[in-house]
Amino acid sequence: MIARLRLRPRAAAVALSVAVALAPFIAGADEPRITSYRNPVLPGFHPDPSVVRVGEWFYLVNSSFEMFPGVPIHRSRDLVHWESLGHVLTRDSQLPLATAKPSGGIFAPTIRYHAGIYYMITTNVSHRGTFFVTAKDPAGPWSEPIWITGPGGIDPSLFFDDDGKVYLTSTGSAPGIYQAQIDVASGKLLTPPRIVWKGTGGRYPEGPHLYKIAGRYYLMISEGGTEYGHMVTLARASSPWGPFEPCPRNPILTHRDTPLSQPIQATGHADLVEDGEGNWWMVFLGIRPQGGYYWHNLGRETFLAPVRWDAQGWPVVNEGKPIALDTQVRGLPVRASPTAPVRDGFDAPLGPAWNFLRNPVRASYSTTERRGWLTLHGTPVPLDQADGASPTFVGRRQEHLRARIGARIDFAPAREGQEAGLVLYRAPQQRYEIGVRGIGGRREVFVRQTVGKYLSTVTASAPAPGKDPLILQIEAEPNRYTFAWGPSPERSDKGALQPMGSAETRLLSTEVTGGFIGTYVGLYALAPSGDPSPAPAAFDWFDYEKQE
Ligand code: 6LW
């Protein structure tokens, strides 16, 4: 910078010494910067990202479907390192999920900030439709829902114009992007919703966001569906109502024509953010197919790409190149965020990594009943129940293709049908358990693979006499899960464990199961109906160790 100024030598020397003296006080002046980063920036099930910057913090939300709590929220100061802030929807009154079937519930959210208030708008497709909640602090608490009666559809977004008007942009009941002016105090629409753009002809124009950038209104949407034909398209206008002129380079992002050797596919559903230094970035969802074929089991993940504006005022995403796993770019000063510990020792209430299926039965979970342990009370609600009552299940996302997952379980089933253990859960009828159960008056460890409506079988079992705590373990690799168990030394020690066979990750992939979530790994418990005294299952610890 100084070298480019034409100053007389003395003035230059003074300027230089002032700059050097001030350097520590200028944010980022002498700090290491992001020079490369690895995608996905939020691995595992984190679809439909939306991002906003407020001061030096970025806040990012994702859709969450039938999982509770809903809408995970992360924060970051460099767009690469993200830290969980928990969830936006944490109360049953904000997130009624009893009627949510798999991949029902909460669809794509948008997060925005205006005049000291954060807004998160989304759709509960299983209960009343579109609503928004507000907060003064993105870590919460967030308000009760303000429900919107209007265009129906999904993927709502808010845009606060500088003249004080606020616009709701979303999909509608017929294909196209609908818009209405909205009063955010009441949630009432001030104008009838009307179609402002239909996209470029791809199926399912959706996921819209309206922005005002350098005096123009930009409408960015997705088309082509959330699968391999996914794309991001954009149009602009001089009024928020259009007419919208499509970008001559649409789609501005897609991997629909890249071969499978390109490790990231299905890129779409994007949001834009300016980083406070004048540079722009896009967050979007993508998937990582495995096994050299079209299947992926971790769900849709959150990716990041740099954006530049060309001389005509159109965005260029990642210099027009496909998104790679590693990106070299000059980013913001590095602000690492705390990394989650491998072991949850259950010494405190369950943290934000943990999710339930639909609205949980609180009495089924306790970290205080036996201090330092998570106690689960099984009920007759099975894991394959698709809506209504919630099974005793608490899980976290499988975020890495390679990971070691383990738990120490204290469980002495007294009756046939009592069982508890670890489950890889993808859908009611797509899941793998390694569990402990009572059968024929004895205790055994077993692996059950459920891979469709009509196919569920125990693929391995071993007697586990006595009542001592046991170790259950799953090793995740890109193409398979490998199960093992053992009597309980204090910690999981791979060498000492007995193998219990393997299962294909492919059969838990979206291409097999359908739906919008990703794979979870959870702890569960079951009791037969009418059981007068179901044995509690207590977990001493749970390990999730990424191995990549
Ligand atoms: C979401 C839609 C989409 O609402 O999938 O990828 C739907 N895009 O925009 C569910 O995530």
Side-chain angles (χ1 to χ4, degrees):
M1 177 83 172
I2 287 166
R4 272 194 246 137
L5 294 174
R6 266 196 253 122
L7 295 175
R8 277 169 292 141
R10 218 176 120 239
V14 171
L16 184 63
S17 59
V18 169
V20 168
L22 283 179
F25 304 102
I26 303 171
D30 60 350
E31 287 163 292
R33 284 184 168 263
I34 301 282
T35 51
S36 71
Y37 64 89
R38 192 150 181 84
N39 262 319
V41 288
L42 277 179
F45 164 51
H46 291 103
D48 304 321
S50 172
V51 67
V52 69
R53 179 178 65 80
V54 179
E56 61 173 353
W57 286 103
F58 300 88
Y59 300 97
L60 187 147
V61 291
N62 296 103
S63 46
S64 52
F65 307 96
E66 71 268 41
M67 309 312 289
F68 187 97
V71 183
I73 177 163
H74 285 79
R75 70 173 185 179
S76 170
R77 281 179 293 175
D78 63 15
L79 288 164
V80 170
H81 301 95
W82 293 92
E83 176 190 2
S84 172
L85 272 187
H87 296 80
V88 172
L89 305 174
T90 54
R91 304 187 296 276
D92 290 342
S93 56
Q94 296 166 309
L95 184 57
L97 288 173
T99 49
K101 295 214 184 303
S103 294
I106 297 295
F107 271 36
T110 297
I111 187 166
R112 292 293 181 257
Y113 174 83
H114 180 71
I117 298 177
Y118 292 84
Y119 295 79
M120 189 288 295
I121 187 165
T122 184
T123 311
N124 184 340
V125 299
S126 312
H127 181 97
R128 284 184 75 174
T130 291
F131 66 97
F132 64 93
V133 290
T134 62
K136 291 211 166 93
D137 179 347
W142 289 79
S143 73
E144 286 300 293
I146 296 154
W147 297 94
I148 296 169
T149 350
I154 54 165
D155 300 353
S157 185
L158 291 175
F159 166 65
F160 293 83
D161 206 348
D162 37 29
D163 61 2
K165 290 183 179 159
V166 187
Y167 298 88
L168 167 73
T169 314
S170 76
T171 68
S173 32
I177 303 303
Y178 287 73
Q179 195 161 277
Q181 205 187 315
I182 184 174
D183 170 18
V184 281
S186 64
K188 297 231 156 49
L189 299 191
L190 301 175
T191 61
R194 71 176 209 233
I195 290 196
V196 286
W197 196 39
K198 287 189 170 173
T200 63
R203 64 183 166 182
Y204 310 133
E206 61 187 11
H209 295 301
L210 184 67
Y211 313 88
K212 190 173 192 179
I213 299 166
R216 288 190 179 111
Y217 296 89
Y218 287 84
L219 179 59
M220 188 170 76
I221 74 167
S222 286
E223 300 180 50
T226 196
E227 301 86 12
Y228 292 87
H230 217 186
M231 51 182 159
V232 180
T233 57
L234 175 127
R236 73 183 181 197
S238 55
S239 149
W241 295 109
F244 281 95
E245 170 202 0
C247 174
R249 269 196 320 274
N250 277 327
I252 58 170
L253 173 67
T254 186
H255 282 196
R256 67 183 175 178
D257 299 319
T258 63
L260 257 189
S261 51
Q262 160 47 249
I264 300 162
Q265 292 288 330
T267 51
H269 199 110
D271 200 0
L272 289 170
V273 70
E274 186 270 331
D275 68 4
E277 295 191 345
N279 299 309
W280 286 77
W281 301 84
M282 178 184 274
V283 294
F284 51 96
L285 72 78
I287 60 174
R288 289 182 288 165
Q290 298 301 316
Y293 199 65
Y294 290 98
W295 55 268
H296 69 286
N297 66 313
L298 297 194
R300 298 170 299 162
E301 311 177 280
T302 292
F303 293 76
L304 175 75
V307 173
R308 149 178 89 73
W309 296 86
D310 72 11
Q312 286 70 46
W314 295 110
V316 181
V317 182
N318 200 39
E319 292 301 331
K321 297 186 302 253
I323 310 302
L325 292 173
D326 290 295
T327 303
Q328 265 75 47
V329 68
R330 184 179 186 274
L332 289 167
V334 178
R335 305 273 195 215
S337 48
T339 47
V342 166
R343 177 158 295 183
D344 189 334
F346 301 124
D347 298 315
L350 292 173
W354 294 101
N355 285 182
F356 306 92
L357 282 163
R358 305 183 291 281
N359 300 98
V361 177
R362 272 33 175 218
S364 297
Y365 310 86
S366 174
T367 49
T368 53
E369 198 170 311
R370 181 170 171 186
R371 281 217 172 272
W373 295 66
L374 171 66
T375 304
L376 298 190
H377 294 281
T379 75
V381 180
L383 288 168
D384 62 7
Q385 177 136 335
D387 60 5
S390 175
T392 302
F393 162 93
V394 59
R396 53 153 295 153
R397 291 159 175 78
Q398 184 193 333
E399 293 174 341
H400 304 89
L401 294 163
R402 290 177 196 278
R404 180 188 63 84
I405 296 141
R408 181 169 188 250
I409 181 174
D410 186 0
F411 181 55
R415 254 178 294 280
E416 196 95 5
Q418 294 181 351
E419 78 174 63
L422 282 176
V423 56
L424 287 155
Y425 181 93
R426 183 52 215 267
Q429 276 136 0
Q430 272 93 12
R431 28 168 252 270
Y432 301 143
E433 284 101 45
I434 175 166
V436 181
R437 66 178 178 177
I439 188 163
R442 23 181 214 102
R443 184 172 81 155
E444 74 169 23
V445 178
F446 68 96
V447 169
R448 182 193 292 122
Q449 304 193 21
T450 301
V451 293
K453 200 169 176 182
Y454 306 112
L455 187 51
S456 177
T457 190
V458 168
T459 53
S461 64
K467 295 184 166 192
D468 289 344
L470 304 169
I471 302 290
L472 304 175
Q473 182 175 279
I474 302 168
E475 282 201 274
E477 295 170 81
N479 295 321
R480 66 174 179 179
Y481 297 110
T482 301
F483 304 95
W485 76 285
S488 164
E490 240 329 281
R491 45 173 313 250
S492 162
D493 174 357
K494 196 179 157 206
L497 298 180
Q498 309 294 314
M500 289 287 272
S502 296
E504 286 180 79
T505 52
R506 180 172 67 91
L507 298 174
L508 301 191
S509 70
T510 304
E511 290 76 1
V512 175
T513 67
F516 291 136
I517 73 163
T519 300
Y520 272 74
V521 54
L523 306 166
Y524 79 99
L526 267 174
S529 41
D531 191 337
S533 54
F539 293 87
D540 185 6
W541 47 254
F542 172 90
D543 281 358
Y544 178 94
E545 184 180 12
K546 68 171 177 175
Q547 297 193 311
E548 49 185 48

